[in-house]
Amino acid sequence: MTTINDIAKLANVSRSTVSRHLNKNGYVSQDAQVRIDKVIKETGYLPSQSAQSLRTKKTGVIGVILPKISTETASRVVEGINQVLQENNYQMLLTQTLLNKEKEIEFIPLLQARHVDGIILLATNTDDALVNEIKKAKVPVVVLGQDMPETTSIQYPDYDATKNMVNYMIEQGYRRISFIGVPEDDPAVGITRKKAYLDTLKEHQLPVKKEWIAYGDFSIPSGYEAMKTIMGAKQKPDAVFVVTDNMAVGAMQYLKENNLQLPQDMGIATTGVSRLSKYIEPILATIDFQNEQAGMAITKLLMEQLVKTDKTKKITHTYRRLPGNSL
């Protein structure tokens, strides 16, 4: 196995010169740099990661905490994260909580024990215990998806985007708009999107009925069951807003199985831009939260925090409405 001493001998320089060049620490003449790089290329030498970590106290690894890696939102965010990490010569260590709030808290010290340089958290809650764990962390922690005090974070525009879509539904002539949400454990999706739905209907003096509101757990089957519950109401709605794309697919399946034509008999809109939506008819009217870009943006914020951690920053991400033909 080629060692740093071998590289120095073959390049006709001192061991310390090779070390300075590899660590980008100190002066090395242009001629020496060329010779060292040539030898490294010819020998296929790879610097010891552990030795570099001891010298720099950096591992080149970023921890990422996800709710569920199987969701399309998470996978798209990870694509964006990975792109920026690769550009900055970092590797990724993934963990998933399976929507367990306690795991979000537990994974922060766990990842620090693995000596990550920083942590990206796709949070599902804003509990004080989680906020405190972030504040105690010895490495920078940035949050995507929730607004937490004293943290560097990017929030999705859940309220504005939901109002935008519900207003669009009203513009299309719908007046009895039902709602499929998720539990309030997730403040952004469970509370904020529901509030925007309720506020918009109130502004337009449209009816809100308890029997037109049901809940799922982010999955396709739960959307199916929630739609079934809503359609059991004595007075039927003429449209449904669903807070996630997966549940919207389930809701759509229930409506089709019960011979309702979309959008003639029932309009449906959602958020998320699922890849699955390209292959179903009608194409879902949806909100695109541009998750790859969000993943890139939160990772760039972390890169900033790795250099300077004395100031928090909060950003609201962008969105766009995609009309589809389900309304």
Side-chain angles (χ1 to χ4, degrees), residues 15 59 82 108 110 126 129 132 134 139 141 172 249 267 270 274 285 307 319 324:
R15 187 183 189 283
T59 61
N82 190 54
I108 293 174
L110 185 149
T126 58
N132 290 335
I134 292 171
V139 299
V141 180
Q172 301 307 301
V249 171
T270 183
S274 167
V307 177
Y319 73 92

Side-chain angles (χ1 to χ4, degrees), residues 121 123 125-136 141-143 145-155 187 311-314:
L121 168 62
N125 81 93
T126 58
D127 291 353
D128 289 344
L130 178 58
V131 174
N132 290 335
E133 198 63 53
I134 292 171
K135 289 163 67 175
K136 288 193 308 183
V141 180
V142 295
V143 176
Q146 304 288 350
D147 184 9
M148 292 187 191
E150 301 180 64
T151 62
T152 289
S153 61
I154 293 179
Q155 300 89 48
K311 189 175 182 180
T312 61
K313 184 181 292 187
K314 294 188 180 293

Side-chain angles (χ1 to χ4, degrees), residues 224-235:
Y224 182 100
E225 292 300 323
M227 193 75 254
K228 180 179 179 180
T229 298
I230 289 171
M231 294 306 290
K234 186 174 182 180
Q235 182 183 20

Side-chain angles (χ1 to χ4, degrees), residues 74-85:
S75 66
R76 287 184 166 184
V77 168
V78 168
E79 287 176 15
I81 292 172
N82 190 54
Q83 181 175 327
V84 176
L85 290 183

Side-chain angles (χ1 to χ4, degrees), residues 261-280:
Q261 299 296 312
L262 306 175
Q264 294 89 339
D265 300 324
M266 174 77 75
I268 184 168
T270 183
T271 64
V273 191
S274 167
R275 291 185 177 100
L276 179 63
S277 66
K278 295 180 181 178
Y279 305 101
I280 58 177

